[in-house]
Amino acid sequence: MTQTAPGPGPSPEPSPAPMPASGPAAGTDSTAGAPHDAHPAHPVHPVLRVHRIHRAWFVAAVAFVTIIGAAAFASLPGLLIEPLHEEFDWSRGTIGLAVSVNLALYGLTAPFAAALMDRFGIRRVVALALTVIAAGSVATVWMTTSWQLILYWGVLVGLGSGSMALAFAATVTNRWFVARRGLVTGILTAAGASGQLIFLPLLAWLVENHGWRPAAVTVSLAALAVVPFVWLLLRDHPADIGTTPYGGAYTAKPAPVPGAARRALGVLAKAARTGPFWLLAGTFAICGASTNGLVKTHFVPSAHDHGMPVTAAAGLLAVIGVFDVIGTVFSGWLTDRFESRRLLAVYYALRGVSLLFLPMLLAPTVHPPMVFFIVFYGLDWVATVPPTIALCREHYGEDGAIVFGWVLASHQIGAALVAFLGGLARDAFGSYDPVWYASGALCAMAALMAMVIRRRSTSGAGAGAVTA
């Protein structure tokens, strides 16, 4: 159905001179068959249509760069474990606890951040979040005890990064796009991987050659550098500049929603009464456990245990980031065309198989089978995000971004548990192998859970309308 954009939407292009309602085309003599000029004093020139890039794509570009700038914090935890263990003699379990607090708050903050964006606007929330990340990261330079690591890196950076989480990408996509939502979600999700690609080699080099403190300062500066960019260029809603969402009709900007915390909890209460929510939360918890909690946190120290230099292991993680960009964007394209739950089942099954083989591939040097694992795992890294967001939108409509925030909270809780338990397992068994095998089995379970999610039979958006 074609919709017309009323109100203060973009003004139409000027029309040419009035044309006859019927009969031969203008500029043709209907009696003699010879062309003539109907208005010789004012010849009619053809209207040139200029196809401009829709403003939504500029907003998406700003969001992409913002997520890249904030991604430095996610590149550092795996590089900190060995240096902090050597300098302060803290156990890997203690360091893993700080990382787990960070990951848990990253997820638990997301649904409230989505509601705060509805209340105060995207720009204000994101600018404040970046400032908090910068403050928490730079404060670690002066820490002397483990509780300070938990406070600065765990609490402050966790709260700030949670407000910059994937709920930010979901909010931007929901407000600015009607068409191409899957593709845009994939692109914005890939921004985190792009940031990892940019920062991991640099931070690994800094840690190896100058210690961990310059790396922490770099994370702080990267977050601060993006704040002016956000404040000057990011816009909260298409109506702010009198335009339409990409592929949709003009809609007035909704009034700010008071009671952000109350709304986030209310949406959770409604969604928790439906089966798809728990299936999505369960699968995404396993996603977090097998990516941020395991590979991003423990791959570098695990590879180092097998004699691989830290810079080489960090370089492999950066390569994962390269293929993550490709895989996530491609997953967004697929999400626009295929059933999301089937995509999730395939992604989790393939990830589980790859993790089961990883312990056999770790060695002092990088060899072809390890390169194959890195490429394969990179393509699958966060390919789960576009179909998960699409399922949240499909089942929960306008509340989809907040519901995804809660689903993301489960993702980070899973990541936090494995970040902590992985460190304990290394202290207890002297090896990460049991954690790799357990994660592979969990991914197989997630594949089965994804297939249980039922499709909606209608296009409604009610949170309580679906049960699995």
Side-chain angles (χ1 to χ4, degrees), residues 96-151:
L97 176 61
V99 176
S100 69
V101 170
N102 175 291
L103 293 172
L105 287 178
Y106 177 100
L108 292 171
T109 305
F112 298 98
L116 285 171
M117 289 177 192
D118 286 344
R119 175 69 177 87
F120 298 104
I122 299 174
R123 183 169 55 169
R124 292 179 182 177
V125 173
V126 171
L128 179 60
L130 290 166
T131 304
V132 172
I133 291 172
S137 183
V138 77
T140 60
V141 171
W142 296 285
M143 68 182 178
T144 55
T145 60
S146 59
W147 70 263
Q148 291 173 317
L149 175 66
I150 295 171
L151 174 63

Side-chain angles (χ1 to χ4, degrees), residues 164-203:
M164 277 295 305
L166 292 173
F168 167 52
T171 302
V172 170
T173 303
N174 286 351
R175 290 189 183 183
W176 282 91
F177 290 86
V178 173
R180 302 289 187 269
R181 277 178 169 172
L183 177 63
V184 175
T185 300
I187 292 172
L188 294 184
T189 304
S194 301
Q196 175 179 299
L197 169 64
I198 293 169
F199 288 107
L200 250 178
L202 171 62
L203 295 177

Side-chain angles (χ1 to χ4, degrees), residues 73-87:
F73 79 89
S75 304
L76 196 55
L79 303 176
L80 290 179
I81 292 178
E82 292 303 322
L84 294 179
H85 174 68
E86 293 175 4
E87 179 172 336

Side-chain angles (χ1 to χ4, degrees), residues 251-281:
T251 55
K253 183 177 181 179
V257 180
R262 184 170 62 252
R263 184 183 178 209
L265 292 172
V267 169
L268 172 63
K270 290 190 294 183
R273 294 195 292 268
T274 68
F277 173 79
W278 293 107
L279 290 169
L280 289 169

